Amino acid sequence: MNYLFTSESVSEGHPDKVADQISDSILDEFLRQDPEAKVACETFCTAGLVVVGGEVASENAYVDIQKVVRDTISRIGYTKAEYGFDASSCGIISTIHEQSADIHRGVVREDEMSQGAGDQGMMFGYACKNTPDYMPLALYLSHKLLRVLADMRHSGEISYLRPDAKAQFSVEFDGQTNKPVRVHTIVLSTQHDEFDTDEAMHARIEKDVREIVLPRLIGSLPAHIAALFDGNFILHVNPTGKFVIGGPAGDTGLTGRKIIVDTYGGRGAHGGGAFSGKDPSKVDRSAAYAARYLAKNLVAAGVADECIVELAYAIGVAEPVSVYVNSYGTGVRPDAEIAAKIRELFDLRPAAIVRRFGLKNPIYAPTAAYGHFGREPYVKDGIQFFGWEKLDSVEPLRRAFGL
């Protein structure tokens, strides 16, 4: 029997994503001035107000919090007073203080490679063959739809769009093979300007979504994924009929409240730790990136068709306390053997992870919207972004498993 699986994404203008982007932009500015800075920064935003709090340890960095916050909000698109939240007029309160000495002693060591994890916890990475970037299909489509919508908003192609939006895809899968069969339901809620009447507004938005947005999305997809849109899908556009009040004016935003959007859309497990605003000494972030790298390279190497990797750490201890693999019965070797081989081939100490992916660089603001995974790695100004998405361990893994 076939089954449905659903994932959602939210736009860069969603209040929680506004908070994430502010936190990561502040982190980037600290790292730009001091790559050794230790930062744990969280943001709360609501109508007309942003509150930034957290703890920082840095010997020489000074960050103009007001400027970073206003620049980030402006970049997202909250630039008009009528939105109820805008870059030029919102109030900003900063309560950032010095990092706890009890935490600091665990993450700063004379020997860098013996640096301990910044906290205890477990982190998961996931990959599958549903999409070209080894991400779950429903989340992949949700992210893609919102990127198309954002491009049309920023370019002015659809002039009435405002920054806040949410997308959700329900995909039908074959119950025997677990392969996608078709797109079943699409839900898109997008913030917009006022129209003369609510009826005219809703009709115009739904028409544009059907005739402009979705064709643009489908046209950007690989042929085998585009074929899943068979024309019989259910479409809900702004189901309440109106979405003028949005962003932080419509709902409060908090850093770290969209951890499933940030990762695998519910398809893989999640350890519970958020990413944004945390420097890479926090394994909530760095080890989650390493776990995704391992899972993606294992699947790309043909070791498994679907794979989840768990890494677990103790605060102040460098080596992971456990490495777990579940290949959902698709692995070419028993899962315990795959996990043992990972330990043999990869250095999973926090300092080694940071060094491998260049995580002390100011690379984090781009991760804070549209997912931390399934992104194309790139180099800008000599700095590697999304290095954990690279497939540079495929050949070593094939050799290690005799593939």
Side-chain angles (χ1 to χ4, degrees), residues 335-355:
D335 291 341
E337 185 178 329
I338 297 172
K341 188 64 72 173
I342 285 174
R343 274 194 177 273
E344 177 186 325
L345 295 175
F346 297 94
D347 189 344
L348 297 173
R349 292 174 295 174
I353 293 170
V354 168
R355 183 176 294 179

Side-chain angles (χ1 to χ4, degrees), residues 145-364:
L145 176 55
L146 289 180
R147 293 297 289 266
V148 168
L149 198 70
D151 288 345
M152 291 181 168
R153 174 173 63 85
H154 286 295
S155 70
E157 185 174 353
I158 300 182
S159 60
Y160 57 77
L161 293 174
R162 293 183 177 184
D164 196 357
K166 301 179 78 171
Q168 180 173 287
F169 276 77
S170 299
V171 178
E172 182 178 338
F173 288 82
D174 185 301
Q176 297 296 317
T177 65
N178 287 323
K179 292 182 177 180
V181 174
R182 69 186 184 99
V183 171
H184 183 278
T185 301
I186 304 170
V187 183
L188 177 64
S189 296
T190 180
Q191 188 187 13
H192 55 84
D193 290 342
E194 285 275 15
F195 282 60
D196 290 337
T197 68
D198 291 352
E199 292 75 17
M201 166 194 65
H202 193 264
R204 168 72 183 280
I205 296 171
E206 182 163 345
K207 180 176 184 292
D208 287 348
V209 169
R210 286 188 180 276
E211 297 181 3
I212 303 175
V213 179
L214 287 180
R216 187 75 54 85
L217 167 69
I218 296 168
S220 72
L221 298 172
H224 70 286
I225 296 179
L228 299 174
F229 292 78
D230 62 5
N232 295 319
F233 57 81
I234 300 165
L235 176 64
H236 298 289
V237 178
N238 287 4
T240 68
K242 187 175 183 180
F243 187 6
V244 172
I245 302 170
D251 193 8
T252 57
L254 288 170
T255 298
R257 202 160 58 179
K258 285 292 176 285
I259 58 177
I260 301 303
V261 171
D262 285 343
T263 53
Y264 308 106
R267 191 73 182 191
H270 196 294
F275 302 154
S276 290
K278 296 178 181 178
D279 77 83
S281 70
K282 281 74 172 173
V283 284
D284 280 348
R285 181 165 221 159
S286 53
Y289 291 170
R292 160 64 178 175
Y293 173 81
L294 294 170
K296 183 177 181 181
N297 276 267
L298 285 166
V299 172
V303 178
D305 290 340
E306 182 181 15
C307 182
I308 196 162
V309 175
E310 182 200 50
L311 305 177
Y313 292 83
I315 188 169
V317 178
E319 292 286 349
V321 299
S322 73
V323 177
Y324 165 82
V325 171
N326 185 350
S327 65
Y328 304 94
T330 69
V332 297
R333 299 284 191 279
D335 291 341
E337 185 178 329
I338 297 172
K341 188 64 72 173
I342 285 174
R343 274 194 177 273
E344 177 186 325
L345 295 175
F346 297 94
D347 189 344
L348 297 173
R349 292 174 295 174
I353 293 170
V354 168
R355 183 176 294 179
R356 181 173 200 130
F357 302 126
L359 299 183
K360 290 183 180 179
N361 290 310
I363 59 173
Y364 296 105

Side-chain angles (χ1 to χ4, degrees), residues 273 290 311 370 390 392:
L311 305 177
Y370 309 112
K390 295 175 74 174
D392 53 3

Side-chain angles (χ1 to χ4, degrees), residues 120-141:
Q120 70 178 49
M122 66 283 192
M123 300 83 207
F124 290 91
Y126 175 85
C128 63
K129 288 187 172 180
N130 284 165
T131 63
D133 52 19
Y134 300 92
M135 289 291 285
L137 180 60
L139 182 65
Y140 168 90
L141 292 171

